[in-house]
Amino acid sequence: MTNTYELDTGGCVAVLDRSGLLSVVKNRPAEEEYGIALDDIEIRTDKGVFRASTAPCSIEDDPAGSRLCFRYDAPFGVVRVIYAAKAGNAFIRRHIVVEPRNALQLLEVRYGATLFQASPQDSVDYQTFWNAPTVVFLRFDTGGLFTGIENPFF
């Protein structure tokens, strides 16, 4: 069994551990690596709580090799965390799919409670047209990265 997985766009690389969580983000143009001390996804429902860091998971194959799909067994059904990378893009997408066994009520979704090993030099709130604090630009020594939710209301 592989201990890490990589998705590479040419400009950035996401290194994922075998539980499907970020361990390193590489910024090739800036020649920087950002180690991740903590990354987790938590979903609270009326049927139970799911945490990616503690749930059993498996990898679903992608014949094209442009995405990684981690499948988790949750108390309320199946959760998939999908990472997608396209050559030439300066970003990697991560999204969640919840497939409940029965009707359920989503109470809270904590998407990417992420802590870097080294603090960024600066963080800049990027107010989207939603006026929602969903995106932040993190500046490091030479480069940086955007992190956040692209479309928080869809």
Side-chain angles (χ1 to χ4, degrees):
M1 174 183 272
T2 303
N3 286 328
T4 61
Y5 302 89
E6 286 193 4
L7 278 174
D8 189 345
T9 68
C12 66
V13 178
V15 181
L16 309 162
D17 65 22
R18 65 182 188 197
S19 64
L21 300 171
L22 286 167
S23 58
V24 175
V25 176
K26 299 176 185 179
N27 180 339
R28 286 216 170 117
E31 298 179 347
E32 288 184 330
E33 289 190 11
Y34 316 119
I36 310 293
L38 172 70
D39 184 41
D40 208 351
I41 296 168
E42 183 178 288
I43 301 171
R44 292 181 178 276
T45 74
D46 61 334
K47 306 284 194 243
V49 176
F50 161 81
R51 283 185 194 84
S53 60
T54 59
C57 80
S58 59
I59 305 290
E60 294 182 345
D61 287 335
D62 174 30
S66 61
R67 67 183 202 121
L68 282 171
C69 178
F70 294 85
R71 182 191 187 281
Y72 302 87
D73 292 319
F76 47 80
V78 171
V79 173
R80 284 183 173 80
V81 177
I82 303 165
Y83 295 85
K86 185 177 177 184
N89 282 350
F91 59 88
I92 295 172
R93 283 196 165 101
R94 171 166 72 171
H95 65 273
I96 300 170
V97 176
V98 177
E99 298 173 4
R101 280 188 217 78
N102 300 302
L104 82 117
Q105 182 180 18
L106 281 176
L107 303 174
E108 182 179 31
V109 177
R110 288 181 169 229
Y111 190 30
T114 305
L115 177 65
F116 290 86
Q117 290 174 355
S119 295
Q121 305 292 336
D122 193 15
S123 66
V124 179
D125 287 332
Y126 180 78
Q127 292 296 320
T128 63
F129 64 93
W130 299 108
N131 263 341
T134 58
V135 180
V136 173
F137 180 73
L138 302 173
R139 295 180 203 265
F140 289 89
D141 289 336
T142 0
L145 54 98
F146 274 101
T147 169
I149 301 171
E150 183 177 19
N151 293 311
F153 298 106
F154 294 110

